[in-house]
Each structure stands twice: as structure tokens, then as C-alpha cells.
Amino acid sequence: MSQPVLSIRNIESFYGPIMAIRGVSLDVHPGQIVSILGANGAGKTTLMKTISGVMDPEKGTISFDGQHIQGLEPHKIVQKGIVHIPEGREVFPLLTVDENLSLGAYTLTDKGQIDHDRDLVFSYFPILRDRRAQEAGTLSGGQQQMLAIGRGLMANPKIMLLDEPSLGLSPLLVQEIFDILKRLNDEQNMTMILVEQNATAALELAHHGYVMEIGRIVMDGTADVLMQSEDIRNFYLGVQEEGARENRRWKRKKTWR
Ligand SMILES: Nc1ncnc2c1ncn2[C@@H]1O[C@H](COP(=O)(O)OP(=O)(O)O)[C@@H](O)[C@H]1O
Ligand SMILES: [Mg+2]
């Protein structure tokens, strides 16, 4: 297989005295969609913040394109080609769709490149072209998520970190957005890390998955293998199908490897 484009080794990240990431290692190969699964509080968002430089790891290394990037400023990491689309579909509500997209290109100076990227975003999200003069705060939740992804694309990334893009959206909209992510992967060869609690949808899209629990990776494998895994089916995919009762069962189950 190819060399990994992103390679994380034994990182630890803290909030004050609390260790939220407890020695995580993972690899992402060029053109892959890698999904990070895990219950609420497992450390998925902290891991994304650590990759994008919003948080610095206390220990461990993060290599991207063969260079160590841990500890770099977030904008330097964007310049290297890593874009983080945070959870909660953050857009600037009082700015227009167009202005939000322009902000995504803040590390670029080539106007031709920026125009090209904007056209690319509009080709994947035609609704954003229709709404380009509208204030982002007046968009629907699904459209705001599309704008957040579109703004990330404007940085012309090599890899996108998507933190729970399905959160709070209807199943139909989740499908629509995931179909577009799949097209971006197929047609643009866009590499992605997809953080999800929606394991079924994520594993349908992903090539490889890692499962996190209390700051650690407790399982990893190809998406097919994870989908078939008895543990995942009972204690993870079950969460989606059977609701809150299962969710409680998942939380009680401490060791399930
Ligand atoms: N700003 C913060 N300050 C202190 N603890 C935090 C903060 N953000 C998250 N945590 C804790 O770190 C752990 C991992 O959280 P997080 O990475 O947000 O998990 P996930 O994204 O998987 O739901 C949780 O125990 C959470 O309570
Ligand atoms: Mg999170």
C-alpha cells in the first residue's frame, strides 16, 4: 500500500490535568476516507483539534507529507493542506454565503485559484450558488453544513477533517451530504477523516475505521470488517437502530474488545 499521508503516533492531549487523548496512533493513506467512531466524550473532537493545531499534544508525533506538524500554529497547518471542519456547522451568520466562502480561502492569494475553487464548491453544492448573496444565518441547518464544508474546500486542502457533519440533520439530508462527500472522494481524490456517532452511515462511506473509547483507539479495521464485527453490531450499530436503551447499555459495557 502507499505511504500514509497522515501518520499519528502515541499522542496525548490534555485539558488542564485531564488526559483526553491517551496515546492514539493512526494512519491515513492518500485518497482514503477514514472514519473515527465512538460514543459522546470518547475524544474524537479533541483528536481533530490536536491534528489541526487548535490544541497541542503533550506527547507524540503527527506527520503530514513526511513532516512533523505537531505544535504548529493552526494557520500553518491549513497552509500545509489540512482543513478542519468543526462540529456544530460553524458559519459566520451575518456574512453572506460568498463572504463565508472567501474566508475559507484566507491562506491563498492566487485569484484564479480562488475562483476555480469557488466554482468547484458550487458544482458540488449548487444550492450555495443560488444563495450566494444570502446571509449564512438564514440558511437551513443542512445548507449551513454544506457551507461549512464548502468553506473548507476553499482552502484547497489535501485532507479534510470533518467532525460529525451529520449531527442534527434529517436522515435524508445526511444521505445527501454523504453522497457529496463520496463524490468528492471519487472525483477529486479528496482524503478525509470523518468523525461520526452515526456509525452505519460513516462505515458505508469509509474505507477504514477506528473506534475510540475514553481517549484510546480500542479497535480498527476496514469498514467491511468493522460493519461485520459482532461487537460493533451489538454495541455500536445497535445504538442507531434501537435508540437510547442500547445507548445506556453501550456506556455500561467497559471492555468489549
Ligand atoms: N474544553 C474542555 N475542557 C475540559 N474537558 C473537556 C473539554 N472538551 C472536552 N473535554 C473532555 O474531554 C473528553 C473528550 O471530549 P471530546 O473530544 O469532545 O469527545 P467527543 O468528540 O468524542 O464527544 C470528554 O471527557 C470531555 O468531557
Ligand atoms: Mg465531538
Side-chain angles (χ1 to χ4, degrees):
M1 207 181 193
S2 57
Q3 287 284 101
V5 60
L6 180 73
S7 204
I8 297 177
R9 289 294 173 269
N10 301 316
I11 59 166
E12 294 180 1
S13 295
F14 288 74
Y15 293 103
I18 302 162
M19 181 158 42
I21 300 293
R22 300 166 170 257
V24 162
S25 299
L26 63 85
D27 286 326
V28 180
H29 291 267
Q32 265 191 332
I33 300 179
V34 169
S35 190
I36 314 277
L37 309 173
N40 209 6
K44 306 179 299 297
T45 294
T46 307
L47 180 58
M48 293 308 106
K49 286 183 186 166
T50 306
I51 298 171
S52 65
V54 175
M55 285 174 73
D56 289 337
E58 301 263 313
K59 282 194 185 150
T61 57
I62 304 175
S63 308
F64 182 66
D65 265 351
Q67 290 177 314
H68 283 171
I69 59 162
Q70 73 277 0
L72 289 184
E73 294 288 311
H75 73 274
K76 290 267 166 57
I77 291 179
V78 175
Q79 269 166 356
K80 291 194 179 294
I82 301 180
V83 151
H84 180 190
I85 296 148
E87 64 187 338
R89 43 174 180 271
E90 286 175 16
V91 295
F92 296 98
L94 298 178
L95 300 184
T96 64
V97 167
D98 251 342
E99 288 164 342
N100 269 276
L101 290 177
S102 296
L103 284 175
Y106 77 101
T107 55
L108 305 180
T109 48
D110 179 346
K111 173 115 182 8
Q113 178 74 48
I114 294 171
D115 288 344
H116 168 271
D117 293 344
R118 190 184 307 262
D119 283 342
L120 187 81
V121 169
F122 287 153
S123 76
Y124 283 94
F125 301 105
I127 188 77
L128 297 181
R129 188 197 299 276
D130 301 342
R131 305 277 161 106
R132 61 190 295 173
Q134 194 170 318
E135 283 180 6
T138 65
L139 298 175
S140 72
Q143 291 161 356
Q144 288 185 5
Q145 185 60 66
M146 291 177 188
L147 179 56
I149 297 169
R151 194 178 61 202
L153 282 170
M154 290 297 291
N156 201 6
K158 294 183 186 146
I159 181 169
M160 299 176 92
L161 317 178
L162 295 133
D163 196 349
E164 299 211 39
S166 76
L167 200 68
L169 301 182
S170 71
L172 210 64
L173 262 170
V174 172
Q175 197 55 55
E176 191 181 336
I177 288 176
F178 278 31
D179 285 349
I180 295 170
L181 294 178
K182 176 153 181 26
R183 279 183 52 216
L184 278 166
N185 177 249
D186 286 346
E187 297 165 8
Q188 309 296 325
N189 202 31
M190 182 64 70
T191 308
M192 301 180 193
I193 296 183
L194 177 62
V195 167
E196 271 297 337
Q197 290 191 56
N198 189 341
T200 315
L203 288 177
E204 277 170 9
L205 197 65
H207 302 103
H208 201 94
Y210 290 85
V211 182
M212 284 189 77
E213 202 176 87
I214 323 174
R216 290 195 177 87
I217 306 280
V218 293
M219 185 183 240
D220 87 285
T222 64
D224 290 344
V225 166
L226 289 185
M227 200 95 85
Q228 297 306 320
S229 144
E230 203 56 23
D231 287 332
I232 297 262
R233 294 180 76 83
N234 290 343
F235 298 104
Y236 202 84
L237 298 182
V239 173
Q240 312 298 323
E241 284 149 18
E242 294 167 48
R245 189 174 55 81
E246 286 295 346
N247 201 351
R248 285 198 295 278
R249 196 155 72 96
W250 153 264
K251 280 185 182 145
R252 276 203 305 275
K253 176 102 178 166
K254 290 268 168 23
T255 52
W256 55 287
R257 193 164 185 173

